[in-house]
């Protein structure tokens, strides 16, 4: 039945995407050709797959850059050259392989993570043990804003979807900016507040959909 439906849709120029949270279909492929269809455990992952196809097809060179230099990272956009120079000694570069966990739910992150290369997903595990994607973040984006500002544990897991390079501003170094470079901290706070609000909004929206 699924093969017949897939064939009918393919003749109309459509690919098949199925959401199967209970695993009844037994695998990630629809029929025998994964390029013509996929089965996903949750709607967020299926939506991301479709989004990637549409972005590849229609956006071309306008997509999010694959890599950004730290001085070009949007979070540091408000810093003057002298402010950036003052901040650089506090920054630490780290690299992660695909599927590495950068931050675990319930732990205190190392600090503020600025992504300079690659892509990560923030996820939560539901009561059914299915992993649900909250957001996907790529080069030029950041995470760890809420724990840094509030001194709390992470509410999500952060997993590398590819090789990932990040620059980390440790929480202690961020706190020390108050006395050492208050102007740098003020500029960062303005950017951090906006990023924290966006990520919290995305999390609330996703978790609200899951509980309804």
């Amino acid at each position: 039945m699924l093969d017949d439906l897939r064939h009918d849709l393919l003749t109309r120029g459509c690919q098949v995407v199925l959401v199967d949270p209970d695993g009844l279909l037994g695998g990630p492929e629809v029929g025998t050709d994964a390029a013509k269809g996929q089965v996903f455990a949750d709607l967020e992952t299926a939506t991301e797959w479709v989004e990637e196809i549409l972005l590849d097809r229609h956006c071309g060179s306008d997509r999010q850059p694959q890599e950004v230099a730290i001085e070009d990272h949007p979070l540091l956009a408000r810093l003057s050259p002298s402010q950036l120079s003052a901040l650089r000694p506090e920054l630490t570069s780290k690299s992660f392989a695909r599927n590495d966990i950068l931050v675990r739910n319930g732990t205190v992150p190392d600090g503020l993570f600025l992504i300079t290369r690659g892509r990560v997903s923030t996820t939560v595990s539901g009561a059914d043990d299915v992993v649900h994607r909250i957001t996907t973040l790529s080069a030029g984006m950041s995470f760890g804003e809420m724990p840094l500002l509030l001194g709390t544990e992470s509410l999500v897991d952060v997993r590398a979807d590819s090789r990932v390079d990040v620059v980390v501003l440790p929480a202690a170094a961020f706190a020390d900016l108050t006395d050492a470079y208050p102007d740098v901290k003020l500029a960062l706070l303005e950017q951090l507040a906006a990023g924290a609000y966006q990520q919290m909004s995305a999390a609330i929206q996703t978790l609200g959909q899951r509980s309804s």
Side-chain angles (χ1 to χ4, degrees), residues 180-199:
Y181 301 102
D183 57 328
V184 174
K185 186 166 188 177
L186 179 60
L188 286 175
L189 281 171
E190 293 178 354
Q191 300 294 88
L192 287 172
Y197 175 80
Q198 292 173 357
Q199 292 192 32

Side-chain angles (χ1 to χ4, degrees), residues 103-163:
V103 177
R104 290 192 180 276
N105 181 13
T107 65
V108 178
D110 292 338
L112 174 67
F113 290 72
L114 286 70
I115 306 173
T116 57
R117 179 181 178 183
R119 187 174 67 178
V120 304
S121 287
T122 62
T123 64
V124 295
S125 296
D128 53 2
D129 291 328
V130 173
V131 176
H132 304 291
R133 179 177 63 91
I134 303 298
T135 58
T136 298
L137 307 172
S138 57
M141 299 181 180
S142 59
F143 59 91
E145 291 91 344
M146 291 299 290
L148 181 71
L149 293 175
L150 301 179
T152 58
E153 298 174 346
S154 176
L155 299 178
V156 297
D157 290 317
V158 183
R159 181 186 301 272
D161 295 332
S162 64
R163 174 188 164 178

